[in-house]
Amino acid sequence: MNQQTSNLEEVKRAPMVAVMLIGAFVGLLNETLLATALPSIMADFGILETQVQWLTTAFLLTNGIMIPISAFLIERFTTRQLFITALSIFALGTFVASISHSFELLLAARVIQAAGSGIMLPLMMTVMLAIFPVEKRGAAMGMAGIVISFAPAIGPTLSGWLLEFFSWRGLFYVVLPIVIIAIIVAAIYVKNVTKQTFPKIDILSILLSSFGFGGLLYGFSSIGGHGPGEVSSGINGTALTIIIIGAIILTLFIIRQMKMNKPMLEFRVFKYPIYSLSLIITAIVLMALIGAETILPLYMQNTRDFSPLDSGLMLLPGAIVMGIMSPITGMLFDKFGAKWLAASGLTIVTATTFLFTNLSLDTAFSYLVIIYAIRMFGLSLVMMPVMTAGLNQLPVEWHPHGTAMANTMQQVSASIGTAILISLMTTTVANYQPDQTQLEGLTEQEAMAQVAGNAAISGYTTVFWLATILSIVGLVLSFFLKTKKNELANEKAA
């Protein structure tokens, strides 16, 4: 521990934090970087929506498998070793993606990327908790919040702009040199600030974790992994079986961890009620964030015939709002705590999500821009304050496990949420029954276009109704968070 303190005194904190933020930024950026590029990839490889979504789902799936293992890795290796290795793996996946000439190779590259990305985010958050005292964590985590919130938000905009000039492979050409520079800077500035306890490798725990979390995510993702006419058979058959098997394996993993003196992932973090509550709220918020960023580009490009750049520009003001607000929200958290910030933010999220249930075939571009930007403002008041409030409940020695668990739940909720929303959308479209009176006087071609457009709108409307209900649940739960007094009490306990 003294060595860690010495390292903190020797190294410049700012460059180390900066390069870790950059590493986590490019990792999270790639969660949504392909959002506006999905139609182009579909056309390039001749695949369907339900297939191309796996480029996002597989990324989240692999993250969901790697993040639980990250707690073990953080305690086993130095900060420097682990961060540089994670960046290098991510760089390899990015390079493979940039030269992919088949959907299968591109999908494999996304898996490799996520294997590195899944380590970087929990490591960054653990380092933040290690080098900043409780009273300054809000501001520090606010900086992390720029990464966690802004990176996925700016992904669709950046890809939309790049697609005006390059093919979808250009998205990876842009990211690769940034990652290489980050590796070089990390080799200079990153020092070890985390505590190494050298836990023994428990192969059975790693296998149970991988197949449990992986099976659960794969099963839910497979619900939407069929054509519209096959959705119901997927839910009733293979997907449901995989979900059940994944849940059983995950239960065995949890039982094993509870019995171990030094578990790979510490599930006793859930004995802290505010921590558990913060994970539930964060999961709901992330489903709302990722869901909108997946559905809106599909609505704009496939239903409204907007270009990828237009789709990205629609999301840009919201991304900017999120980036500006994250550090401000962090400072507000240090002063007031999470409760009222979260309640205010979720009220805004609920209202704006409800407004998206009114999408039509002629909804104004300005309406989409304004409502989405206001929605992102609301999300910025929730994300990092709630997460920081939860992590502050935990003792120092459980921080790696707390951050790993938090990030695991985020990836699980994002992956499951995306799959459920896509599945709900495709099911609604498949079961849409047109009003025949609206088709009178139209040619056959006009009637088909009208039916297809209305069917798609019904799918988007259903999705945003579900998102509205989830937002209301999150809003109710936010009133059970504690005020600043609880943070101060926890500081004394720590």
Side-chain angles (χ1 to χ4, degrees):
M1 194 70 180
N2 290 335
Q3 181 61 42
Q4 293 166 19
T5 304
S6 175
N7 283 340
L8 281 174
E9 292 172 352
E10 290 173 7
V11 74
K12 292 180 180 179
R13 183 185 291 172
M16 177 174 170
V17 171
V19 72
M20 297 199 79
L21 286 172
I22 291 170
F25 182 88
V26 293
L28 284 167
L29 176 69
N30 275 266
E31 286 188 7
T32 58
L33 186 63
L34 295 184
T36 53
L38 295 183
S40 300
I41 296 172
M42 288 167 59
D44 202 359
F45 293 125
I47 55 178
L48 301 173
E49 279 181 1
T50 48
Q51 293 171 284
V52 79
Q53 71 143 348
W54 277 96
L55 294 176
T56 297
T57 302
F59 192 94
L60 296 172
L61 173 65
T62 308
N63 262 318
I65 292 173
M66 288 302 301
I67 289 173
I69 301 173
S70 69
F72 161 79
L73 296 174
I74 289 170
E75 294 180 336
R76 182 67 179 82
F77 301 100
T78 68
T79 311
R80 188 171 184 271
Q81 289 172 336
L82 193 55
F83 185 67
I84 293 175
T85 301
L87 272 177
S88 300
I89 294 172
F90 184 84
L92 174 62
T94 304
F95 173 72
V96 174
S98 71
I99 61 171
S100 295
H101 290 282
S102 70
F103 177 71
E104 291 75 18
L105 185 58
L106 179 59
L107 188 60
R110 293 286 284 169
V111 170
I112 297 171
Q113 276 189 315
S117 175
I119 298 171
M120 288 190 284
L121 182 59
L123 178 59
M124 177 198 72
M125 293 179 65
T126 301
V127 168
M128 291 289 196
L129 293 172
I131 65 179
F132 291 100
V134 172
E135 66 273 10
K136 294 183 179 180
R137 280 182 193 159
M141 294 296 275
M143 295 301 296
I146 295 178
V147 168
I148 293 173
S149 304
F150 186 62
I154 198 67
T157 305
L158 178 61
S159 63
W161 179 72
L162 289 172
L163 286 169
E164 288 291 302
F165 309 100
F166 309 102
S167 73
W168 55 264
R169 292 181 182 84
L171 304 180
F172 300 104
Y173 295 145
V174 170
V175 170
L176 186 57
I178 297 174
V179 180
I180 293 173
I181 293 171
I183 292 172
I184 295 171
V185 176
I188 300 172
Y189 289 107
V190 173
K191 305 295 181 183
N192 187 38
V193 296
T194 52
K195 184 177 181 181
Q196 289 177 268
T197 58
F198 299 100
K200 293 182 180 179
I201 298 176
D202 183 32
I203 300 297
L204 182 57
S205 289
I206 293 175
L207 291 174
L208 290 174
S209 171
S210 299
F211 285 103
F213 284 112
L216 205 61
L217 291 171
Y218 182 86
F220 274 105
S221 299
S222 296
I223 290 175
H226 302 268
E230 301 175 348
V231 173
S232 61
S233 64
I235 294 175
N236 294 327
T238 306
L240 184 59
T241 302
I242 293 173
I243 290 170
I244 293 172
I245 293 173
I248 293 172
I249 295 174
L250 190 58
T251 302
L252 295 174
F253 171 69
I254 295 171
I255 293 173
R256 181 169 180 81
Q257 300 312 293
M258 296 296 288
K259 291 182 178 180
M260 296 174 66
N261 292 328
K262 291 186 176 181
M264 187 182 88
L265 192 60
E266 183 59 84
F267 280 85
R268 281 170 285 192
V269 293
F270 288 114
K271 75 177 185 179
Y272 295 88
I274 299 300
Y275 175 80
S276 301
L277 182 62
S278 74
L279 292 197
I280 296 172
I281 295 174
T282 302
I284 290 173
V285 169
L286 204 69
M287 287 177 68
L289 176 66
I290 298 295
E293 289 175 353
T294 302
I295 297 300
L296 286 176
L298 290 175
Y299 161 73
M300 293 193 69
Q301 293 180 60
N302 291 357
T303 305
R304 297 290 304 280
D305 292 326
F306 282 103
S307 70
L309 178 59
D310 291 331
S311 179
L313 288 176
M314 188 277 289
L315 302 175
L316 180 58
I320 293 173
V321 167
M322 180 72 85
I324 292 173
M325 283 303 301
S326 288
I328 296 173
T329 303
M331 291 184 284
L332 291 173
F333 169 80
D334 282 335
K335 190 172 183 179
F336 300 109
K339 182 175 182 177
W340 299 116
L341 283 173
S344 301
L346 281 163
T347 299
I348 295 171
V349 171
T350 301
T352 51
T353 303
F354 171 74
L355 291 175
F356 275 133
T357 63
N358 297 319
L359 294 178
S360 69
L361 292 174
D362 56 1
T363 300
F365 183 86
S366 58
Y367 178 90
L368 298 172
V369 171
I370 293 170
I371 299 304
Y372 183 76
I374 296 173
R375 191 171 185 270
M376 294 298 277
F377 172 77
L379 286 169
S380 72
L381 298 178
V382 184
M383 289 285 289
M384 290 314 298
V386 170
M387 187 182 299
T388 307
L391 291 171
N392 280 349
Q393 294 293 298
L394 304 179
V396 174
E397 62 272 17
W398 281 6
H399 281 165
H401 295 272
T403 56
M405 188 70 74
N407 285 287
T408 298
M409 293 301 103
Q410 286 181 47
Q411 296 301 326
V412 168
S413 61
S415 184
I416 291 176
T418 301
I420 290 175
L421 292 177
I422 292 290
S423 176
L424 181 63
M425 183 184 73
T426 55
T427 303
T428 303
V429 170
N431 296 326
Y432 175 73
Q433 297 296 326
D435 182 354
Q436 296 297 330
T437 59
Q438 295 180 354
L439 306 179
E440 293 177 0
L442 299 178
T443 66
E444 182 178 352
Q445 187 174 3
E446 289 173 337
M448 290 178 62
Q450 180 80 5
V451 170
N454 289 339
I457 292 297
S458 71
Y460 302 132
T461 299
T462 304
V463 164
F464 281 110
W465 267 115
L466 176 58
T468 300
I469 294 170
L470 288 173
S471 300
I472 292 172
V473 173
L475 174 60
V476 173
L477 293 176
S478 69
F479 288 103
F480 292 93
L481 291 169
K482 302 299 182 183
T483 57
K484 188 62 180 174
K485 292 181 180 179
N486 187 69
E487 295 293 320
L488 297 174
N490 184 72
E491 182 182 359
K492 292 180 180 179

